[in-house]
Amino acid sequence: MASEITYAEVKFKNASNSSGTHSDSSAAPKGNPTHHQSKPGSPSLLFKSLMIFFLLLAISFLVAFIIYFQKYSQLLEEKKATKYKIIHNKLSCMKNSSLMDGKAWSCCPKDWKPFGSNCYFISTSPAASWNESEKKCSSKGAHLLVIHSKEEQDFITKNLEQKAAYYIGLWGPGHRQWQWVDKSPYNESAAFWHKGEPNNVWEKCVVLHHRPAGWGWNDVLCNYIQSSVCQMNKIYL
Ligand code: MMA
Ligand code: CA
């Protein structure tokens, strides 16, 4: 297109130079090309420069955003680790076999038991209601025990007293709508109820306890005073 315009312009110059008295009718359309003359190169150049400018601007915004996001998440991680280091001033750590997000150590607070990617704390005294038990876990940066596999439950029960009952982080706000405190989905196929349990709509909280058939879950009244188990993610340093 640009070459066609240039060609028209040349023709116009020739026409006006050679025959000044030539048609006025041709002068009119030629007025346009002269008008175009200052524009053909410059608007596209301006446009291109603007495009490049905005493109560079967009790229710098993107880079700035990525850097900001990385710094921010790093800061959050550090804050989280600091929080746990303040709550739990003694940690027991194991060297990771492979680097977890560049962290060499996985730790549990002293007196907590490590299993998988979690730490567990058996809380026996003072025994408390379900609500109080959850609050106590929460004050330690943890929550009541959430069980997602038989292996996990077996690991924990090995450390429990058979005579006691322990609150876990399962509760039923509505009619048998079980919920885990960490909001993870309740899975019927990974539920370990005792035979005949749950058996009472008024019993909206759950304990882990031992019966002759073994360890399992029972729904109980939430104001019962029981022991409990807290759970938290391992701390990576
Ligand atoms: C029985 C049984 C349970 C119920 C408790 C309440 C000992 O177990 O009926 O289902 O939750 O009583 O104390
Ligand atoms: Ca029950």
Side-chain angles (χ1 to χ4, degrees), residues 7-29:
Y7 177 65
E9 181 195 332
V10 170
K11 259 175 80 180
F12 164 67
K13 277 184 178 169
N14 286 344
S16 60
N17 282 348
S18 59
S19 48
T21 54
H22 222 59
S23 65
D24 282 27
S25 59
S26 63

PDB file of all heavy atoms in Angstrom, residues 7-29:
ATOM      1  N   TYR A   7       3.924   6.162  -5.435  1.00  0.00           N
ATOM      2  CA  TYR A   7       3.823   6.218  -6.892  1.00  0.00           C
ATOM      3  C   TYR A   7       2.850   7.312  -7.317  1.00  0.00           C
ATOM      4  O   TYR A   7       3.174   8.135  -8.162  1.00  0.00           O
ATOM      5  CB  TYR A   7       3.377   4.841  -7.411  1.00  0.00           C
ATOM      6  CG  TYR A   7       3.161   4.795  -8.905  1.00  0.00           C
ATOM      7  CD1 TYR A   7       4.245   4.990  -9.782  1.00  0.00           C
ATOM      8  CD2 TYR A   7       1.894   4.564  -9.441  1.00  0.00           C
ATOM      9  CE1 TYR A   7       4.046   4.950 -11.147  1.00  0.00           C
ATOM     10  CE2 TYR A   7       1.705   4.523 -10.798  1.00  0.00           C
ATOM     11  CZ  TYR A   7       2.780   4.716 -11.653  1.00  0.00           C
ATOM     12  OH  TYR A   7       2.582   4.676 -12.992  1.00  0.00           O
ATOM     13  N   ALA A   8       1.724   7.410  -6.676  1.00  0.00           N
ATOM     14  CA  ALA A   8       0.705   8.419  -6.977  1.00  0.00           C
ATOM     15  C   ALA A   8       1.283   9.812  -6.747  1.00  0.00           C
ATOM     16  O   ALA A   8       1.060  10.726  -7.535  1.00  0.00           O
ATOM     17  CB  ALA A   8      -0.506   8.218  -6.094  1.00  0.00           C
ATOM     18  N   GLU A   9       2.064   9.937  -5.757  1.00  0.00           N
ATOM     19  CA  GLU A   9       2.637  11.225  -5.391  1.00  0.00           C
ATOM     20  C   GLU A   9       3.611  11.710  -6.482  1.00  0.00           C
ATOM     21  O   GLU A   9       3.592  12.864  -6.889  1.00  0.00           O
ATOM     22  CB  GLU A   9       3.375  11.045  -4.076  1.00  0.00           C
ATOM     23  CG  GLU A   9       4.000  12.289  -3.540  1.00  0.00           C
ATOM     24  CD  GLU A   9       5.001  11.930  -2.469  1.00  0.00           C
ATOM     25  OE1 GLU A   9       4.811  10.863  -1.821  1.00  0.00           O
ATOM     26  OE2 GLU A   9       5.942  12.684  -2.300  1.00  0.00           O
ATOM     27  N   VAL A  10       4.414  10.795  -6.956  1.00  0.00           N
ATOM     28  CA  VAL A  10       5.390  11.111  -8.014  1.00  0.00           C
ATOM     29  C   VAL A  10       4.654  11.590  -9.257  1.00  0.00           C
ATOM     30  O   VAL A  10       5.001  12.603  -9.853  1.00  0.00           O
ATOM     31  CB  VAL A  10       6.286   9.886  -8.325  1.00  0.00           C
ATOM     32  CG1 VAL A  10       7.127  10.132  -9.562  1.00  0.00           C
ATOM     33  CG2 VAL A  10       7.157   9.584  -7.117  1.00  0.00           C
ATOM     34  N   LYS A  11       3.631  10.899  -9.594  1.00  0.00           N
ATOM     35  CA  LYS A  11       2.827  11.251 -10.761  1.00  0.00           C
ATOM     36  C   LYS A  11       2.285  12.678 -10.605  1.00  0.00           C
ATOM     37  O   LYS A  11       2.317  13.468 -11.522  1.00  0.00           O
ATOM     38  CB  LYS A  11       1.645  10.285 -10.914  1.00  0.00           C
ATOM     39  CG  LYS A  11       1.894   9.226 -11.990  1.00  0.00           C
ATOM     40  CD  LYS A  11       0.773   8.235 -12.035  1.00  0.00           C
ATOM     41  CE  LYS A  11      -0.393   8.816 -12.808  1.00  0.00           C
ATOM     42  NZ  LYS A  11      -1.486   7.826 -12.851  1.00  0.00           N
ATOM     43  N   PHE A  12       1.853  12.997  -9.451  1.00  0.00           N
ATOM     44  CA  PHE A  12       1.257  14.302  -9.177  1.00  0.00           C
ATOM     45  C   PHE A  12       2.292  15.418  -9.370  1.00  0.00           C
ATOM     46  O   PHE A  12       2.062  16.406 -10.024  1.00  0.00           O
ATOM     47  CB  PHE A  12       0.712  14.309  -7.741  1.00  0.00           C
ATOM     48  CG  PHE A  12       0.436  15.689  -7.220  1.00  0.00           C
ATOM     49  CD1 PHE A  12      -0.587  16.445  -7.776  1.00  0.00           C
ATOM     50  CD2 PHE A  12       1.219  16.230  -6.209  1.00  0.00           C
ATOM     51  CE1 PHE A  12      -0.835  17.718  -7.296  1.00  0.00           C
ATOM     52  CE2 PHE A  12       0.964  17.491  -5.739  1.00  0.00           C
ATOM     53  CZ  PHE A  12      -0.066  18.254  -6.281  1.00  0.00           C
ATOM     54  N   LYS A  13       3.496  15.182  -8.878  1.00  0.00           N
ATOM     55  CA  LYS A  13       4.565  16.176  -8.992  1.00  0.00           C
ATOM     56  C   LYS A  13       4.908  16.433 -10.456  1.00  0.00           C
ATOM     57  O   LYS A  13       5.056  17.567 -10.880  1.00  0.00           O
ATOM     58  CB  LYS A  13       5.800  15.709  -8.240  1.00  0.00           C
ATOM     59  CG  LYS A  13       5.707  16.029  -6.761  1.00  0.00           C
ATOM     60  CD  LYS A  13       6.971  15.653  -6.041  1.00  0.00           C
ATOM     61  CE  LYS A  13       6.844  16.037  -4.571  1.00  0.00           C
ATOM     62  NZ  LYS A  13       7.929  15.452  -3.798  1.00  0.00           N
ATOM     63  N   ASN A  14       5.038  15.350 -11.192  1.00  0.00           N
ATOM     64  CA  ASN A  14       5.340  15.462 -12.626  1.00  0.00           C
ATOM     65  C   ASN A  14       4.277  16.287 -13.324  1.00  0.00           C
ATOM     66  O   ASN A  14       4.583  17.161 -14.117  1.00  0.00           O
ATOM     67  CB  ASN A  14       5.400  14.071 -13.262  1.00  0.00           C
ATOM     68  CG  ASN A  14       6.705  13.372 -12.848  1.00  0.00           C
ATOM     69  OD1 ASN A  14       7.622  14.042 -12.361  1.00  0.00           O
ATOM     70  ND2 ASN A  14       6.750  12.078 -13.033  1.00  0.00           N
ATOM     71  N   ALA A  15       3.020  16.009 -13.029  1.00  0.00           N
ATOM     72  CA  ALA A  15       1.886  16.648 -13.695  1.00  0.00           C
ATOM     73  C   ALA A  15       1.889  18.155 -13.421  1.00  0.00           C
ATOM     74  O   ALA A  15       1.769  18.963 -14.339  1.00  0.00           O
ATOM     75  CB  ALA A  15       0.571  16.036 -13.221  1.00  0.00           C
ATOM     76  N   SER A  16       2.123  18.549 -12.207  1.00  0.00           N
ATOM     77  CA  SER A  16       2.058  19.971 -11.849  1.00  0.00           C
ATOM     78  C   SER A  16       3.272  20.739 -12.404  1.00  0.00           C
ATOM     79  O   SER A  16       3.185  21.904 -12.746  1.00  0.00           O
ATOM     80  CB  SER A  16       1.957  20.131 -10.333  1.00  0.00           C
ATOM     81  OG  SER A  16       3.101  19.556  -9.739  1.00  0.00           O
ATOM     82  N   ASN A  17       4.421  20.041 -12.496  1.00  0.00           N
ATOM     83  CA  ASN A  17       5.632  20.692 -13.005  1.00  0.00           C
ATOM     84  C   ASN A  17       5.567  20.913 -14.516  1.00  0.00           C
ATOM     85  O   ASN A  17       5.851  22.001 -15.004  1.00  0.00           O
ATOM     86  CB  ASN A  17       6.864  19.830 -12.697  1.00  0.00           C
ATOM     87  CG  ASN A  17       7.250  20.017 -11.233  1.00  0.00           C
ATOM     88  OD1 ASN A  17       6.725  20.931 -10.591  1.00  0.00           O
ATOM     89  ND2 ASN A  17       8.130  19.176 -10.737  1.00  0.00           N
ATOM     90  N   SER A  18       5.161  19.859 -15.228  1.00  0.00           N
ATOM     91  CA  SER A  18       5.212  19.908 -16.689  1.00  0.00           C
ATOM     92  C   SER A  18       4.076  20.748 -17.269  1.00  0.00           C
ATOM     93  O   SER A  18       4.307  21.597 -18.120  1.00  0.00           O
ATOM     94  CB  SER A  18       5.178  18.488 -17.267  1.00  0.00           C
ATOM     95  OG  SER A  18       3.999  17.844 -16.833  1.00  0.00           O
ATOM     96  N   SER A  19       2.872  20.555 -16.780  1.00  0.00           N
ATOM     97  CA  SER A  19       1.746  21.311 -17.340  1.00  0.00           C
ATOM     98  C   SER A  19       0.948  21.985 -16.220  1.00  0.00           C
ATOM     99  O   SER A  19       0.073  21.371 -15.638  1.00  0.00           O
ATOM    100  CB  SER A  19       0.839  20.376 -18.153  1.00  0.00           C
ATOM    101  OG  SER A  19       0.567  19.223 -17.398  1.00  0.00           O
ATOM    102  N   GLY A  20       1.336  23.217 -15.936  1.00  0.00           N
ATOM    103  CA  GLY A  20       0.707  23.974 -14.847  1.00  0.00           C
ATOM    104  C   GLY A  20      -0.754  24.246 -15.093  1.00  0.00           C
ATOM    105  O   GLY A  20      -1.543  24.294 -14.166  1.00  0.00           O
ATOM    106  N   THR A  21      -1.154  24.430 -16.357  1.00  0.00           N
ATOM    107  CA  THR A  21      -2.542  24.754 -16.666  1.00  0.00           C
ATOM    108  C   THR A  21      -3.405  23.521 -16.785  1.00  0.00           C
ATOM    109  O   THR A  21      -4.545  23.587 -17.185  1.00  0.00           O
ATOM    110  CB  THR A  21      -2.629  25.532 -18.002  1.00  0.00           C
ATOM    111  OG1 THR A  21      -1.949  24.758 -18.989  1.00  0.00           O
ATOM    112  CG2 THR A  21      -2.034  26.917 -17.868  1.00  0.00           C
ATOM    113  N   HIS A  22      -2.819  22.415 -16.503  1.00  0.00           N
ATOM    114  CA  HIS A  22      -3.585  21.182 -16.672  1.00  0.00           C
ATOM    115  C   HIS A  22      -4.731  21.101 -15.692  1.00  0.00           C
ATOM    116  O   HIS A  22      -4.833  21.895 -14.760  1.00  0.00           O
ATOM    117  CB  HIS A  22      -2.644  19.979 -16.553  1.00  0.00           C
ATOM    118  CG  HIS A  22      -2.973  18.940 -17.587  1.00  0.00           C
ATOM    119  ND1 HIS A  22      -2.941  19.203 -18.941  1.00  0.00           N
ATOM    120  CD2 HIS A  22      -3.341  17.646 -17.466  1.00  0.00           C
ATOM    121  CE1 HIS A  22      -3.279  18.131 -19.599  1.00  0.00           C
ATOM    122  NE2 HIS A  22      -3.522  17.160 -18.730  1.00  0.00           N
ATOM    123  N   SER A  23      -5.556  20.132 -15.964  1.00  0.00           N
ATOM    124  CA  SER A  23      -6.877  20.024 -15.335  1.00  0.00           C
ATOM    125  C   SER A  23      -6.913  20.293 -13.830  1.00  0.00           C
ATOM    126  O   SER A  23      -6.055  19.825 -13.074  1.00  0.00           O
ATOM    127  CB  SER A  23      -7.431  18.617 -15.599  1.00  0.00           C
ATOM    128  OG  SER A  23      -6.589  17.683 -14.937  1.00  0.00           O
ATOM    129  N   ASP A  24      -7.941  21.079 -13.471  1.00  0.00           N
ATOM    130  CA  ASP A  24      -8.210  21.341 -12.057  1.00  0.00           C
ATOM    131  C   ASP A  24      -8.803  20.111 -11.394  1.00  0.00           C
ATOM    132  O   ASP A  24      -8.656  19.892 -10.201  1.00  0.00           O
ATOM    133  CB  ASP A  24      -9.209  22.502 -11.907  1.00  0.00           C
ATOM    134  CG  ASP A  24      -8.479  23.813 -12.119  1.00  0.00           C
ATOM    135  OD1 ASP A  24      -7.456  23.781 -12.842  1.00  0.00           O
ATOM    136  OD2 ASP A  24      -8.909  24.834 -11.573  1.00  0.00           O
ATOM    137  N   SER A  25      -9.501  19.349 -12.276  1.00  0.00           N
ATOM    138  CA  SER A  25     -10.146  18.139 -11.740  1.00  0.00           C
ATOM    139  C   SER A  25      -9.116  17.174 -11.181  1.00  0.00           C
ATOM    140  O   SER A  25      -9.378  16.493 -10.210  1.00  0.00           O
ATOM    141  CB  SER A  25     -10.981  17.455 -12.834  1.00  0.00           C
ATOM    142  OG  SER A  25     -10.114  17.141 -13.905  1.00  0.00           O
ATOM    143  N   SER A  26      -7.939  17.141 -11.823  1.00  0.00           N
ATOM    144  CA  SER A  26      -6.909  16.226 -11.319  1.00  0.00           C
ATOM    145  C   SER A  26      -6.189  16.828 -10.115  1.00  0.00           C
ATOM    146  O   SER A  26      -5.563  16.129  -9.349  1.00  0.00           O
ATOM    147  CB  SER A  26      -5.913  15.880 -12.421  1.00  0.00           C
ATOM    148  OG  SER A  26      -5.253  17.065 -12.828  1.00  0.00           O
ATOM    149  N   ALA A  27      -6.271  18.158  -9.989  1.00  0.00           N
ATOM    150  CA  ALA A  27      -5.608  18.808  -8.858  1.00  0.00           C
ATOM    151  C   ALA A  27      -6.301  18.474  -7.534  1.00  0.00           C
ATOM    152  O   ALA A  27      -5.655  18.378  -6.514  1.00  0.00           O
ATOM    153  CB  ALA A  27      -5.601  20.316  -9.059  1.00  0.00           C
ATOM    154  N   ALA A  28      -7.616  18.331  -7.654  1.00  0.00           N
ATOM    155  CA  ALA A  28      -8.370  18.043  -6.422  1.00  0.00           C
ATOM    156  C   ALA A  28      -7.943  16.737  -5.769  1.00  0.00           C
ATOM    157  O   ALA A  28      -7.554  16.736  -4.612  1.00  0.00           O
ATOM    158  CB  ALA A  28      -9.863  18.066  -6.706  1.00  0.00           C
ATOM    159  N   PRO A  29      -7.986  15.639  -6.565  1.00  0.00           N
ATOM    160  CA  PRO A  29      -7.560  14.394  -5.915  1.00  0.00           C
ATOM    161  C   PRO A  29      -6.096  14.436  -5.513  1.00  0.00           C
ATOM    162  O   PRO A  29      -5.691  13.802  -4.572  1.00  0.00           O
ATOM    163  CB  PRO A  29      -7.819  13.312  -6.965  1.00  0.00           C
ATOM    164  CG  PRO A  29      -8.032  14.014  -8.252  1.00  0.00           C
ATOM    165  CD  PRO A  29      -8.438  15.429  -7.942  1.00  0.00           C
TER     166      PRO A  29
END
